[in-house]
Amino acid sequence: MTQSTKQNPSRRHHFIPQFLLREWTDDDGDLICYWPRGDGKVRSKPLSPKSVAYEDWLCETTGFPAEHAQQMEDVYFKLLDDRASNAHRLLVDGRAGEMSHEMMCDWARFIMSIWFRTPGDVKGLKTVINALSDPAVSEAAIGLTVPEDFPDAALNQLQMEAMRRAIDDPERGEAFLSMEWATITSTETRSFLISDWPLDTAKDLPFLGHPESYITIPISPRQLFIAAPSRAFLLALGDLQEGELERRQNYATVAQARSFVGASNDEEDPFIKQNFGCEKRPSIARSIADAWNVEL
């Protein structure tokens, strides 16, 4: 009789899943990765998807036994990404019409997850939740006073639960499902880029539900997924000057990046190095921190 070997918990917690990064790889299985060094300069190197867009123990529930501490990564995000990869494959293959309602929900949850799983937002949310241990903060923020001896492990569990509930929020998910979805294939020589923040959204507007709100994300170097408020909005994109859509998306992808930018080749090298991280990006954690008067 053989005994199964217990699988070790994942150390590398990917905030952009490997199924998406693989679209940018070459015949050797690498993509060109750009990241900022300590001196502010941007460095580049071919890397495999396994070696990109991760941070060790990012979503660990500290204070819990080893077999439970990695549940957010090894159970929740693994299942979410596995299911989203099936929807992604249909989108890339031009078979969006074959997506079931369940697959559309999987894709919607994946898009929502990007808003909450970047290192900055995960750590920011931890800081916000930890601030509840201060009676003045908890009373002002949620109308309750958290006991001074509230266990740290319980706070850490609350951090992960808050992230999960935010991703699975039914109202936000329904709003996303109600938008017009489309996949645009670029005919330009310029390729789309990927980063730790690959979303482009309307500025200074509510996240979803506003007549002008939208979400775009590259799903391959040649394809862009769009969730738009109306069919008319999608038609207006077709009226953009040649190459303008690619330029806008790549600028958003690069300018809002913090950890890395990925490319299928080095043709965008000067553009990436010039614009890396130059724009402020949306942050749910920062919005909560500002509302609760917590410093991140």
Side-chain angles (χ1 to χ4, degrees), residues 86-128:
N86 296 325
H88 170 261
R89 190 72 265 148
L90 290 182
L91 290 170
V92 169
D93 291 344
R95 298 158 55 200
E98 299 178 27
M99 292 175 67
S100 65
H101 178 74
E102 184 178 17
M103 293 183 76
M104 293 177 69
C105 290
D106 293 337
W107 184 247
R109 290 175 66 236
F110 166 66
I111 297 296
M112 297 301 108
S113 77
I114 295 178
W115 280 77
F116 299 96
R117 64 197 287 188
T118 65
D121 278 300
V122 172
K123 294 172 184 177
L125 186 59
K126 287 184 178 182
T127 299
V128 168

